[in-house]
Every structure is written in C-alpha cells, then in structure tokens.
Amino acid sequence: MGLSTAAAGDGAQLCVFDLRRGQQEGQELDKILFFHPADCPILLQLSVIGLCEGIVTFTRIFSPEEDCEVIESEKHSHVFYQAEPDIWMVLVVEKTKVNEPTWRCGALQGILKEAHSLFAMFHGPIRTLLDRQPSAELARGHLRTFLTDYLSDFYVGKKLQFPTYRDSLKERGTVQMLTVSREVALEVQSLTTVLGSCLGNATCQSLILFEDLLVSTTLPPDDTLNLYTYAVLRLTPRALSSNASSWSYLRKGTSVNAGPTSSSSNGTTAGERPLLREKLSKGKDGFVAADFTATEVRGAVPLTPILWFQQAEERMYLCIYQHKSLTILLLIPASSLINGEEGITHVKKQMLENGSQKIVTVEQKLSRGWGGENAYHVGGYRYLLVDPDRRVSRASPPGKVTTLAKDSLLALNRLRQEVDLEKSRHKTSDPCHDKDFEASIRTKNNAWVIAKITRGRELYMALEKGGETLLYASTAVEKFSNR
Amino acid sequence: MLGNQIGGLGTPGALSHAYVQHPPLRCDIPDIPGLFYDDANKFLVAPTADRILYWKIVPSLPSGPPNSDPVNDGPVLSVRYSLDHKVIGIQRSRHEIEFRNRETGETCSKKCRADSETILGFFWTDCPTCDVILVKTSGLDLLAYDPQSHAFRLVESKKFNVSWYLYTHESRLILLASGMQCTMFTGYQFSAGGIVKIPKFEMMMSKSEANNKPVLAADDVHIVTVYGRIYCLQLDRVSMTLNLYRFYRDAVVQQCTLPTYSSRIAVSAVDNIIMVHQIDAKVVILYDVSLDSYAPVSAPLPLLVRGLPSNSRQASQTADSQSSAYGGTIYGEGWNFLIPDLICDAENGLLWKLHLDLEAIAASSSDAPSVLEFLQRRKSDPSMVKTICLAIARTIILERRPVSTVAKAMDVLLDSYSRLMKMGGGLPGVRRTHEQNQQLGGQPVEGSPVISQETSPGTTVSPVNPDQAGGVTNRSAQSNSGVDHGADRVTGTSGYRTSDAVNKRQQVVGEDSRPLSSGTSMQHGQHAGSVAISPVEMFQSVFAVVEDEMMGDPAYLAAVIMEFLRSASKAGLKAPSNLYVMMATLLARSNRYAEIALFVSNKIMEPSKELAVQLMEIGQQHPPTRKLGLDMLRERGLHHDYVAALLQDGYFLEALRYARKYKVITVQPALFLEKAVANNSAQNLAAVLSFFCEFTPSFKSTSDFGRYRHILSEMV
C-alpha cells in the first residue's frame, strides 16, 4: 500500500496510548490506541510505548503536578502531551543535525494538542469512547481515520514534515482575526443576531470568516479556536479549492487504508471523517457539505457533522454556508433540534430567508475593506503577536517572513524555546500574575531577535536592518507597540 | 397602519382617531345674518347691524368676548380683514365691496358693472404687486391699495369666464372653474414670491347616463395643504369616488382615487393629516400622504366629542348622547368645515377645533416601525408624540418582538433625530431639501408657490385628459419620482419637467427671507425639535427602564442594543457610554466574555472610563476581561486610575515603572509600600522605598518614609 512505502522513509512516529489499559503482562498491546505508521512492527510499537510509559511514570515521582514534556536522545526527540488523564500522545521525530535543534518542543506539542482538540470536537473525549465501548474498537477506529486524515496535511512529498524554525513567526493554536471598522463590525454583529435566531426556540451559535480570517464568533475562545482551525484546514474557499486540487496518490492510499473501520458499515460520512478532503465541496445552495456518490449514501446517516463543545458544554450540528469569500459556520444545538436532518433543512431555509441580504451586504463591505494577503505587513518588521487569553495571534505575512535569513530564524527559534521555558517556570511559581519579560538578542548575522511579554501578551520580532545598538532595537519595538 | 382592528383599541372607549375638544367657542350672537370666516387672519366674524364682531382663533380658541369694529349698516355677503388688519373689506352685494379704514373710519367701495358681471368674492394677498384680488364672473381684478389716500388702483385685469372659484389663503391658490360641467380649471398662485399661473386642467367626472352630464359644484372641490404640498380633492358624485390631485409648479397630476361613503364630504387638515369627513356616514377617514401612500391611516371611525362634563368617555357613548350633551348633532346640517382644522356649527353658534387622537392611532396598529414613522411626522403635540414613541419602543422590547422589527423601529427614531441634528435647529432662510423640511417642519407650511421662476422656457404641459387613462397614470408615476429628487429632474417620455412645488418655495424663501405668514404653523416649527428622541433619551427612557424586566433574557436585550448601535452608527450618532456599560453587563451575565473582548477590540463598545471600570468590575470573575478594562484605562491615558488598578492587582513593580514613565504622582506612596510589605519581600520594599526617595524629593521627610524604613530594617 501507499502508506507503507511513505512511512518507511519519514522516520516520525505518532502514538496514542492509555495508561489505564493493558496493565497486566501479556496485554500490553491493549494500551495502544493509535500508532503511526500503521505498518510499524508490533514489537517496535511496544518498545516505543514502553519507553514513553516508563518516562512518564518515572518523572511523575518528582514532578507530580507537571507532565513530562520532552525527552531528547541522540537521534530522536520524544514530545509528550497528556491529552486526557492517563491518555498520552507522543510524537517521535528524528533529529537532522546534532547540536542546533531545528524545531521547538512547544510547536510540536501544539500539533498534538490541536489534533486532540479537533478529535474531541468531532468524536468527543477519547475516554468517553473507551467507556462506551471497553474493547476500544470504536476509539481505535475513530483515531485511526481521524489522525491519518489529520497527518495527511503534514506530508511534503512522501515525508511527514513538522514545523521547524522556519515557522517561528507562526503560532499554532491561535486564531487570526480580520480587523474591521466599527461600522462593518456592527453590520456583522447584526448578521450574527439573524443567524442566532434561525432556530426559533434556541439560540444558534455562529462563526463568520472572511478568507482565512475570523470576523466574528459567539463561542468561547477554545471552541472558537477548534472550529476556526477546522475551517481553515478544510472549509474556507482556499481550503476547499485545495481539497479539489491536491488529490494525490498518497492521500488516495491513506484513505483506502483507513477506510474500513468498525463503523464503516454505515458508509463513511462527513460526521465520521470530517478531515477527509475529497468529500467536502460547496453545493449549489451555497452550503458546504460532504459530497457522496449515490452508492455511499445509506438512508438516514447524518450528513451534518455533530460537534462536541467543551466550553459551551453542548453538542451541536454544524452547517457551513459560503458566499464568495465569506464562510459562515452555523451551529445548531442538538438538544433543541427535534427532527434531525429535516430540522436542519428548516434552519438552513430560515437562514437564507432572513439572512441572505445581510450576508451579501457584509461580504461586500468586507471585500471593500480587505487589504489582501499582505494587509497586516508592517514595513521593516517581521513579527508575531500572540494574545494567549483570547487565543489570537497576528503575524507578518508568510511571504514576508521567508525573506529572513536562516540565522535570524534559527536564533528566533532558540529564543522562543527559552521564552517557553521561562513562561512555564513562572506559571508554576505564580499562576495568578503575568510576568513582564523582554529579551533582545544580537544574532550572528547582525540581526536583532526580540521577545517581549507585556501583561500576558507576547511579541516576537526579527529586525534584520535593526542598526547597531540595543537602544535602536528597543525603540523600534516601542514604535511597533504604539501602532 | 392598515388592517387595524376596530374593536379592542388600546385607549378604552375611544373608538375614534379624531375628536373635538369640549368646550367649544360659543359664538351664538342673536340676530346676526350668519357667521363668516376670514381664513387669512383666522378670524371668525359675526356682523351685527352696525358692528362687526370677530374672534381671533389662533393660536387657540379664545374664551372671552369678541372684539368689535363699528361699520356702516347694510347687507353683508362676506368680510375679510386686510393682512395688516388695518382695513376691513365687506362685500355688500354681488356688485359692490366696501373697504373701511379701521383707524379713520373712511370708506370707499369697489363696484362692478351691474349688467355684464357679478362679484363672486375677494381676498387680500401678500403678493408684491397687488393687495386685493377681486373675483368676478368675467375674470380677476388685481388691485393695489394706497393707505395714504385710502384708494384702490387697478393693477391688472385677467379676463375669462368664471362659474365659481375656490381660494385658500394657506395655499395662496385660486382655482377658477369654467365650462359646461365646471370641470375646466384655471389656477393662479398669488404669493409673496409673485404670481404664478397653473396650466389649465380638467377634473374627472364620470357620466351617469348617456347625455346626462353632471355639473361639478364648488362644494365638491377642496384645496388642502399638507407637508407644504398643495393637493386638491374632488368628489365625483356619480362614481362615489374622490379624486386626489397634486399641484406641481408646471403640472397638475392626479395621484389616486379614494373611495367615499357619503354623497357629501368635507376635508380638514390636522397636523398634516388629511381628514375626509364622510358626512352622511358620520365617519372620518384619515390619510397621511407624506410618502405618497394613499392608503388610509385606519378604517373609517366616528368623530368624538371629548371632555363633555356629563359623562366620562364611555365606549357606549353614541353620537346621539353626545349631541344631547352639547346641544348639537355631530355632522349636523349646520356644520361648516373651516380651513384648516375647524368646524363651525352655525345652527348652535359653536366653533370646534379638530384634533388627532395619536394614542388611539398608535394603538390601532401593531406595525411598530410604521407607527413610529407616522408619529415622528406629527408636530401638533411634541411631548405627547415623544411619550408615545418611547412607550412603543419599550413595549416592543418587552414583548420580545423579532429583533429585525425592533431594529427598524430604532432606525426610524434615530434617523428622525439625526435629521433634526443636521438641520441645526431650522434657521429660516436656509436652503434645505424638501424632505428634511417636511419631516421637521422647520418652515411654515403655508403659502406654497406652485410654479417656479426657474421653469425652463419652452417646456409645455399638456392638460390631463380624462379620456386617456393610460396617459394619466404614466404622468402620475413620473411626477412622483420627481417629488423625491428635487426640482430640475427631467422626466423621460413626455419630455416635460415636473418638479416640486415645495422645493421651489424653499428657494423663494431662501432668496427673500421675509416670513410668508404668521399663524399656527410657525409655532409648529419651534416645537418640532422635541418630537425627535436622542440616543441619550433612548437609553434613559427605554433601555434603562426595560433592563430589569429583561434580565431573564439578556441575549435578546443585547441583540437589541446591538441593532440600536448599528442604527446610531448609520445615522452618524454617538451612543451614551452607559449603554456600553449595560451591554457589557448583559453579556457577562450570560458568560459571553469572548464577545466582550471582540466588541472591545473592534470598537463596537467605544472605550470610556465608565466602560473600563465596569470591565474591571466584571473581570473579578474573569481575569482576561479585567485586563481589557485595565488596557482601556491605559489607552485612554487615565494614568492615575491605571496605576491604582495595577497596584490593586498586585503588580506594584509594574505600577512603579508606569508611574515613573508617565510621572504619575497622584497615587500615595503608602499604597505601594503597603503592597510591598504584604508581599513580605525585603527586596521589594527596599526597591519601592528607594524609588520614592528618587522620584519624590520630599518623600524622605514624610512619616511614611520613617515608618517603612523601620519595617524594612526589621525584615532584614
């Protein structure tokens, strides 16, 4: 199969295991919920998981509160993430060079976190699945299809390519917002009100995106983030167009491989495999839905994915509507919707009846004010701004970041690694207060890399024409902050 | 406004939208030949044998005895005082008018040739070239008055046959009927802006039977002035319909045909509402033509007498019991309808003034946005209008009407207010657009010239031909569009220009800022402002009032406020900062902290100190929101509050740094020192102490310095 040839070369492993399972000798295999590559020999799988379990148990002795984050060996790094109590995700990556790490532990953990959050959004917590079916068939089936689909995004050629120092001015796990004028914001909010009232008896939630940027949300930050991430991965016009164009031998291979799951007797639906690219497309009515051939549709399978919301504590149906560059994610509380698909059709109708005019207006106003891909470029600066409270970030456009020298980016990567450490240290000592922090470092290629944390907000910056003095660099940062 | 329910009105017992207020003016003078009305001066005139008694009935009905003027004995056909009240004109016969100088008592007369012509009537005018217009069967005589010699000089004669005529001082328009059926009309407007001639036109008359051509009577034609526009209503007795025409400066256009339920009708105009009295049916129908809609405001309802001493407005009150109470009959034989809103009961010698029952009208429809629009156009009782509008705004929120409906209502109210603001108080002589004027009534509605001096030469208007129905509707549509878009709009197919009479009037007023007339309408102008409701009033009288009751559904109220903000932003108005405070509180109550952050960041909630303080308060439960409040304080440059808040949250080193940078000296050093002590860190306390020694030179001499130094020495 396609995957086996691909897996052999990439050297990265991703596993999910449950420490509460397989605790008796001989049943170790029961711990494994997911392992990538799937064709990895069982013995090797067991040895990776055994090592990880050993480390986790060992580090708990002297650090009961804080989880083990990473172990560095000569050739590999193991990045840990405890997704749910006793359910661990571990990413093993091969080191390319000896001394200089080319990626950041926090960034890799971000991948695990994102994968788990998305999984939980579509399928609920892993623990719940395990409790529902102790044989773990259900959980394994979902994890296999979901994570395989998720990892498919990281393939470059036949290799899994995870974020490196080149991505140090990006922050996974944040939302990118569109800045709009007050007048337009009010129009958008008015549309949100209309969207909220589509159901009648209960309020619908909604997210509105323009291009790949978030315009408005009614959900709490974590749920917003998950849905936003999903939308940018699969649903926005750009994602949809790449769905259609990036069909490849490889993906074909993986999807065939992952296809037959325990629940596949119903046929795979969008609800089952939300990250499967080929299935999603925009219909004539403007709604984005899974696009199935006739043979795959079997009766009353819900075509609309149901989502689990952690912060909103509710299960909701997701309807996706698209008008030009505008993507609307409408969330219908499952508890308030009595007759399933029929009810959703009704809500969609309501939405079009009451909202069409406003959708068109909002799209026009947003397009008029849209500054294009480089709208948030600030001349002379390469920056990343993160607001962890709101899970929001803004960065120099990727096209501009690529103009930075490799040395600048490597230095920035190192600096970020340090800041991550400092942050977690401070968090353990004083969780209630933010600590202000500022570091400016002169790199080998005479650039400045700067990290500044003010009242919880983080700013990372690379200045290649930054002049000689530290004063110059800090004035530049000041200027930037006052914008 | 359509489709109201006749039963179950909001105001108990008021099955009526129009009423007359008891007591009326008593004008039952014994032994008088009749009562006359001088509509230019608003005098009700009762001639006796040797005197003229008159009541000035503006601005309100008087209660005292009438004024009187001595005159010569003789028959009286009509009485009109000059516009400066110096001369009384009395038509003595069909051939003679007597003019009497009130100061000197001098008289002179104007006579016509008894054999060939008769005088149909006369009126005074403020037209620049003449003072009195004599209407005769042979045409018009324009006379100029010389006060010195108390003599009249003929300025001009306009010759044509006249069967009967119609003039109202309000419109300054005279319509002269001629022809076999009296359906051919010539018209002039004699206004301060000059004399303008209206193109000849013909009114529509249905044929009853073959060869039986009915004759149009003067009683069946009514000139009515509303919103500064001049309309004419013509009753077609055969088809029992009412034709509504509108006068443009170079065209007369039929607007629509209204149904009637009576062979006799009368027309009044109250606060720019056309009241069509269906006299036989004893009901009245109201029309509001402001947006060129000709649907009645409500179903036909009777006219009510209000404030009768004997009963208290019960629902069962019938016309009969009312009439017995006041001693006359509603729509009785003796009722004369005077321009614009008066009823004279000649039989009983009573004068009534007509009123609109705005409360009842508002209660008769559930379409809140259009009710509000209707009310915002009213000027007669601004405080009442405002009260009702605010009540409606509250009710629709409390009843949880769809947000879209509430949004429309907000649009109406704020648009109205913003128009008022743009007018800047309505200075006379300022040019403005027609629409602003009619909404706000900044200008008197009287005396609209019909024809513009700007009428381009060579544009011709063919008279409306009743036989070409298609042509009529076509023209009507074009003229309607012309109304909205101002004067010089060239309309398509017919190739003539229609333009707005009122627009022209504004230009006349603008060039010659002499007031056109005195009277009630000027007062309307002064009061008009208070109909509009400001965003602050909306907050105080609507949102703040409903807040408590809406606590169960904060999301709805938040959505409504959002729509209000959208309307306000569209109208270019600022919302009071209290509203943002309320909004933040509502959102926090439903744990919608993320949206608070979103609205602060995209400035939907405009930053203010009040909002910042509220955010910090809300933030007690949600630290990121508190941070939003703090940031807002900093961004607003409220340094003192910012430092104090930082300190309160335990960021005393940050607070010190900030205090140094922005030279904030108002925060007590003791507060910082206390925090440092509470932190139980000698290092921090030492840092704070040395900071203040440097920052505030006088610090070393304060008691704080000694005290905390002592504490520090004990800590080390």
Side-chain angles (χ1 to χ4, degrees):
Chain A
M1 282 200 190
L3 187 67
S4 57
T5 48
D10 62 35
Q13 291 161 328
L14 174 67
C15 56
V16 182
F17 58 92
D18 178 8
L19 288 184
R20 295 182 193 169
R21 301 173 67 89
Q23 286 304 313
Q24 264 142 25
E25 210 174 317
Q27 291 180 0
E28 287 87 354
L29 215 54
D30 203 27
K31 285 178 200 164
I32 308 175
L33 298 176
F34 173 80
F35 202 98
H36 172 88
D39 56 356
C40 179
I42 296 295
L43 276 178
L44 187 60
Q45 295 190 15
L46 282 176
S47 105
V48 170
I49 285 171
L51 173 68
C52 294
E53 185 181 356
I55 301 275
V56 166
T57 320
F58 172 65
T59 54
R60 268 186 185 169
I61 297 169
F62 47 85
S63 171
E65 301 295 323
E66 293 295 303
D67 293 336
C68 164
E69 286 179 341
V70 65
I71 38 172
E72 305 276 1
S73 60
E74 198 182 339
K75 287 188 176 156
H76 293 93
S77 292
H78 291 62
V79 179
F80 289 77
Y81 174 63
Q82 188 177 195
E84 291 167 34
D86 289 327
I87 293 175
W88 288 80
M89 297 174 84
V90 179
L91 183 64
V92 186
V93 282
E94 218 169 17
K95 290 185 178 175
T96 45
K97 277 182 198 158
V98 190
N99 289 322
E100 183 80 73
T102 55
W103 33 257
R104 192 163 53 89
C105 166
L108 295 183
Q109 260 186 336
I111 293 172
L112 297 175
K113 210 173 160 183
E114 179 176 284
H116 176 260
S117 302
L118 287 177
F119 180 86
M121 176 166 81
F122 287 107
H123 300 292
I126 299 172
R127 184 62 70 201
T128 314
L129 292 175
L130 291 172
D131 292 346
R132 209 192 309 165
Q133 204 202 42
S135 74
E137 267 310 294
L138 187 62
R140 286 200 183 104
H142 282 322
L143 280 167
R144 182 160 64 240
T145 52
F146 187 88
L147 291 178
T148 311
D149 289 341
Y150 178 75
L151 285 176
S152 70
D153 282 8
F154 292 94
Y155 276 103
V156 175
K158 291 182 176 181
K159 268 177 84 80
L160 275 176
Q161 180 86 58
F162 292 112
T164 64
Y165 63 93
R166 299 209 173 271
D167 301 297
S168 51
L169 284 180
K170 272 184 204 158
E171 183 73 357
R172 189 174 293 273
T174 55
V175 169
Q176 277 85 55
M177 302 282 300
L178 178 72
T179 303
V180 294
S181 69
R182 180 168 191 269
E183 181 220 341
V184 178
L186 284 164
E187 286 293 339
V188 171
Q189 226 36 58
S190 180
L191 170 61
T192 305
T193 306
V194 171
L195 295 176
S197 61
C198 283
L199 188 54
N201 56 342
T203 309
C204 295
Q205 308 289 335
S206 64
L207 257 72
I208 300 176
L209 284 87
F210 183 80
E211 300 282 352
D212 278 355
L213 300 169
L214 184 69
V215 180
S216 105
T217 172
T218 60
L219 287 171
D222 284 346
D223 294 331
T224 297
L225 172 61
N226 289 337
L227 209 49
Y228 169 80
T229 308
Y230 176 50
V232 173
L233 283 177
R234 294 292 182 267
L235 304 177
T236 59
R238 184 205 303 237
L240 281 179
S241 68
S242 74
N243 288 355
S245 63
S246 66
W247 189 88
S248 70
Y249 164 75
L250 180 77
R251 285 211 186 86
K252 179 103 176 143
T254 58
S255 67
V256 168
N257 187 23
T261 65
S262 59
S263 55
S264 67
S265 53
N266 292 341
T268 35
T269 67
E272 302 276 323
R273 296 193 60 180
L275 290 183
L276 195 60
R277 277 184 181 269
E278 294 87 75
K279 301 279 181 185
L280 286 163
S281 66
K282 181 177 162 185
K284 284 200 182 89
D285 56 357
F287 286 95
V288 177
D291 165 37
F292 295 102
T293 56
T295 50
E296 279 176 289
V297 181
R298 300 266 168 78
V301 179
L303 296 178
T304 313
I306 298 184
L307 309 181
W308 300 66
F309 282 102
Q310 313 276 283
Q311 273 180 307
E313 290 173 350
E314 235 183 320
R315 293 177 69 224
M316 302 196 205
Y317 289 96
L318 171 65
C319 284
I320 305 121
Y321 180 79
Q322 218 157 63
H323 172 69
K324 295 186 182 168
S325 304
L326 199 70
T327 306
I328 292 172
L329 309 185
L330 184 68
L331 296 151
I332 309 155
S335 55
S336 310
L337 198 70
I338 304 139
N339 43 359
E341 284 296 312
E342 207 178 298
I344 289 172
T345 314
H346 175 73
V347 171
K348 284 179 174 174
K349 220 179 106 206
Q350 280 298 113
M351 173 182 147
L352 290 181
E353 264 172 29
N354 303 335
S356 286
Q357 190 52 48
K358 279 196 154 70
I359 292 171
V360 172
T361 317
V362 165
E363 203 281 337
Q364 276 173 354
K365 292 200 168 176
L366 290 175
S367 315
R368 218 172 292 146
W370 168 233
E373 292 219 322
N374 287 341
Y376 302 127
H377 174 59
V378 183
Y381 294 91
R382 301 292 179 270
Y383 70 95
L384 166 70
L385 260 169
V386 185
D387 183 347
D389 287 337
R390 292 182 59 205
R391 316 268 190 290
V392 170
S393 74
R394 169 163 298 174
S396 295
K400 299 285 177 184
V401 173
T402 51
T403 63
L404 286 175
K406 186 182 175 188
D407 278 339
S408 313
L409 286 166
L410 277 171
L412 194 59
N413 191 53
R414 276 252 305 274
L415 179 60
R416 288 204 61 186
Q417 183 93 40
E418 290 301 319
V419 172
D420 286 350
L421 270 175
E422 185 61 34
K423 275 196 305 189
S424 71
R425 247 179 246 140
H426 179 72
K427 213 172 145 191
T428 17
S429 63
D430 185 4
C432 303
H433 284 104
D434 300 316
K435 197 186 173 203
D436 287 1
F437 177 94
E438 189 167 355
S440 305
I441 289 168
R442 190 79 169 152
T443 63
K444 274 187 275 184
N445 58 334
N446 287 335
W448 285 100
V449 292
I450 298 155
K452 186 177 178 181
I453 301 181
T454 332
R455 312 214 13 84
R457 269 183 287 261
E458 301 164 20
L459 169 66
Y460 303 99
M461 194 178 269
L463 295 170
E464 289 199 323
K465 292 171 192 134
E468 294 292 310
T469 62
L470 177 62
L471 187 68
Y472 181 93
S474 72
T475 318
V477 172
E478 188 85 349
K479 253 194 202 158
F480 181 86
S481 309
N482 291 340
R483 281 170 55 93
Chain B
M1 283 287 190
L2 292 170
N4 66 310
Q5 64 279 36
I6 295 175
L9 290 171
T11 317
L15 288 171
S16 159
H17 289 163
Y19 66 92
V20 292
Q21 182 72 44
H22 189 85
L25 169 68
R26 296 220 158 261
C27 45
D28 45 348
I29 312 285
D31 301 328
I32 50 167
L35 287 162
F36 298 96
Y37 181 56
D38 177 359
D39 74 329
N41 298 299
K42 302 275 191 299
F43 288 171
L44 187 66
V45 179
T48 60
D50 57 348
R51 306 191 77 77
I52 296 261
L53 305 177
Y54 69 94
W55 292 266
K56 190 167 168 29
I57 52 170
V58 287
S60 57
L61 295 187
S63 49
N67 306 309
S68 84
D69 274 310
V71 286
N72 297 333
D73 194 7
V76 177
L77 294 186
S78 84
V79 180
R80 284 179 183 273
Y81 282 68
S82 67
L83 299 180
D84 58 6
H85 302 174
K86 283 184 177 149
V87 180
I88 312 175
I90 305 166
Q91 187 177 355
R92 292 294 187 184
S93 71
R94 293 163 63 80
H95 302 285
E96 183 188 2
I97 296 174
E98 179 188 308
F99 292 98
R100 180 187 173 88
N101 187 315
R102 287 174 72 194
E103 276 169 31
T104 60
E106 253 183 289
T107 57
C108 69
S109 348
K110 235 14 217 189
K111 287 180 185 158
C112 69
R113 284 172 308 193
D115 51 339
S116 57
E117 55 186 18
T118 55
I119 297 177
L120 295 169
F122 76 104
F123 54 88
W124 298 85
T125 167
D126 50 7
C127 168
T129 51
C130 53
D131 299 297
V132 172
I133 314 284
L134 232 58
V135 190
K136 301 183 295 184
T137 47
S138 62
L140 298 178
D141 278 356
L142 280 56
L143 307 173
Y145 174 67
D146 177 22
Q148 258 85 47
S149 58
H150 186 62
F152 287 86
R153 173 175 58 86
L154 183 66
V155 177
E156 193 188 341
S157 250
K158 296 183 185 289
K159 295 288 175 197
F160 34 75
N161 288 325
V162 180
S163 306
W164 47 263
Y165 83 101
L166 213 57
Y167 175 80
T168 70
H169 185 76
E170 207 176 28
S171 62
R172 310 290 201 274
L173 177 71
I174 182 167
L175 290 181
L176 302 148
S178 60
M180 289 281 285
Q181 291 178 273
C182 296
T183 51
M184 290 305 298
F185 281 87
T186 311
Y188 287 95
Q189 191 181 40
F190 296 98
S191 74
I195 303 170
V196 278
K197 185 173 193 289
I198 295 167
K200 269 196 167 192
F201 70 100
E202 189 174 357
M203 287 194 188
M204 308 262 281
M205 288 284 272
S206 310
K207 286 177 190 165
S208 53
E209 296 148 31
N211 300 327
N212 183 5
K213 290 185 176 174
V215 176
L216 186 60
D219 284 349
D220 292 342
V221 180
H222 309 267
I223 298 173
V224 52
T225 313
V226 284
Y227 296 114
R229 313 172 196 164
I230 302 170
Y231 292 91
C232 172
L233 282 158
Q234 171 235 339
L235 178 65
D236 185 337
R237 285 171 189 268
V238 177
S239 66
M240 285 291 269
T241 54
L242 207 51
N243 296 320
L244 179 72
Y245 303 86
R246 180 166 172 193
F247 293 91
Y248 293 89
R249 65 174 179 173
D250 48 10
V252 181
V253 178
Q254 187 177 0
Q255 305 286 310
C256 68
T257 299
L258 307 171
T260 55
Y261 308 98
S262 167
S263 61
R264 277 192 309 148
I265 61 142
V267 178
S268 307
V270 181
D271 199 1
N272 289 327
I273 296 292
I274 301 179
M275 284 188 181
V276 181
H277 305 275
Q278 316 281 328
I279 292 172
D280 296 345
K282 294 191 192 298
V283 289
V284 56
I285 306 179
L286 312 183
Y287 297 94
D288 181 5
V289 295
S290 91
L291 300 178
D292 294 321
S293 116
Y294 302 104
V297 169
S298 67
L301 286 174
L303 188 70
L304 216 66
V305 181
R306 260 205 196 169
L308 287 178
S310 56
N311 55 45
S312 53
R313 287 178 59 206
Q314 280 164 10
S316 57
Q317 200 173 31
T318 61
D320 289 341
S321 72
Q322 281 184 12
S323 25
S324 59
Y326 91 88
T329 316
I330 298 267
Y331 291 125
E333 282 299 314
W335 275 33
N336 292 301
F337 293 84
L338 308 179
I339 305 281
D341 56 358
L342 298 165
I343 298 166
C344 180
D345 184 347
E347 271 179 10
N348 300 291
L350 301 173
L351 185 75
W352 302 96
K353 194 170 160 67
L354 279 160
H355 296 274
L356 286 171
D357 187 343
L358 294 178
E359 263 178 304
I361 294 171
S364 70
S365 166
S366 59
D367 180 1
S370 34
V371 172
L372 288 172
E373 258 178 2
F374 173 86
L375 288 171
Q376 288 289 309
R377 286 194 291 263
R378 306 283 73 84
K379 287 153 198 156
S380 55
D381 192 350
S383 66
M384 160 80 91
V385 166
K386 211 160 162 174
T387 312
I388 302 175
C389 285
L390 288 169
I392 291 174
R394 282 191 297 267
T395 309
I396 54 176
I397 295 174
L398 289 173
E399 286 177 357
R400 288 172 177 68
R401 299 268 187 91
V403 174
S404 54
T405 308
V406 183
K408 272 186 216 143
M410 302 289 175
D411 278 345
V412 170
L413 292 178
L414 292 174
D415 281 352
S416 171
Y417 181 76
S418 118
R419 267 195 303 272
L420 175 80
M421 289 294 100
K422 279 181 201 141
M423 297 287 291
L427 294 165
V430 177
R431 292 187 183 204
R432 23 185 111 96
T433 67
H434 158 65
E435 200 165 297
Q436 282 170 332
N437 181 54
Q438 51 129 318
Q439 292 291 340
L440 288 160
Q443 284 291 319
V445 292
E446 294 186 22
S448 315
V450 183
I451 295 172
S452 164
Q453 296 160 342
E454 287 178 3
T455 308
S456 24
T459 56
T460 53
V461 182
S462 48
V464 175
N465 189 339
D467 296 323
Q468 292 175 340
V472 172
T473 47
N474 186 20
R475 182 162 300 139
S476 159
Q478 287 162 359
S479 299
N480 282 345
S481 61
V483 175
D484 296 330
H485 299 294
D488 292 319
R489 186 188 157 95
V490 178
T491 51
T493 49
S494 297
Y496 67 84
R497 285 181 168 199
T498 56
S499 53
D500 195 328
V502 180
N503 223 333
K504 176 52 205 153
R505 186 175 65 82
Q506 301 308 328
Q507 287 155 3
V508 172
V509 171
E511 288 149 12
D512 172 11
S513 58
R514 184 150 55 102
L516 286 175
S517 63
S518 61
T520 49
S521 50
M522 276 310 273
Q523 284 155 355
H524 289 172
Q526 285 156 10
H527 287 296
S530 50
V531 177
I533 298 168
S534 73
V536 174
E537 286 170 300
M538 280 294 283
F539 172 75
Q540 287 166 346
S541 308
V542 178
F543 295 116
V545 177
V546 300
E547 189 188 12
D548 281 344
E549 283 191 61
M550 296 304 292
M551 278 305 107
D553 193 358
Y556 176 81
L557 189 54
V560 165
I561 294 178
M562 191 58 78
E563 290 300 327
F564 174 79
L565 293 175
R566 193 183 55 82
S567 292
S569 148
K570 222 168 57 184
L573 300 170
K574 271 185 85 72
S577 56
N578 295 341
L579 192 63
Y580 301 116
V581 172
M582 179 185 283
M583 177 107 166
T585 316
L586 289 169
L587 291 172
R589 193 163 282 137
S590 18
N591 288 320
R592 289 160 70 184
Y593 295 105
E595 279 160 276
I596 295 181
L598 180 68
F599 298 161
V600 168
S601 83
N602 60 22
K603 300 277 191 295
I604 283 183
M605 298 206 270
E606 289 179 300
S608 66
K609 186 179 175 183
E610 291 87 350
L611 181 58
V613 170
Q614 180 67 13
L615 289 175
M616 297 206 310
E617 175 71 30
I618 293 168
Q620 306 279 7
Q621 279 81 47
H622 191 258
T625 303
R626 182 166 176 87
K627 216 186 264 179
L628 284 178
L630 265 171
D631 289 344
M632 193 177 284
L633 283 180
R634 195 187 60 228
E635 279 153 23
R636 302 283 297 167
L638 299 160
H639 300 315
H640 172 86
D641 302 273
Y642 181 65
V643 169
L646 274 181
L647 202 53
Q648 200 189 336
D649 289 359
Y651 291 103
F652 65 92
L653 289 179
E654 286 85 350
L656 278 184
R657 263 180 235 132
Y658 190 88
R660 184 178 57 201
K661 189 167 174 190
Y662 293 98
K663 315 232 170 349
V664 184
I665 51 167
T666 45
V667 184
Q668 289 294 313
L671 291 172
F672 290 90
L673 293 160
E674 244 167 63
K675 286 280 171 187
V677 173
N679 215 21
N680 204 21
S681 152
Q683 201 188 339
N684 284 343
L685 183 56
V688 175
L689 269 173
S690 68
F691 169 83
F692 278 108
C693 290
E694 258 179 61
F695 189 61
T696 332
S698 58
F699 177 69
K700 273 186 182 168
S701 55
T702 62
S703 60
D704 281 342
F705 176 71
R707 214 174 94 222
Y708 285 96
R709 232 185 108 162
H710 179 69
I711 298 174
L712 178 63
S713 63
E714 282 182 350
M715 280 169 97
V716 181

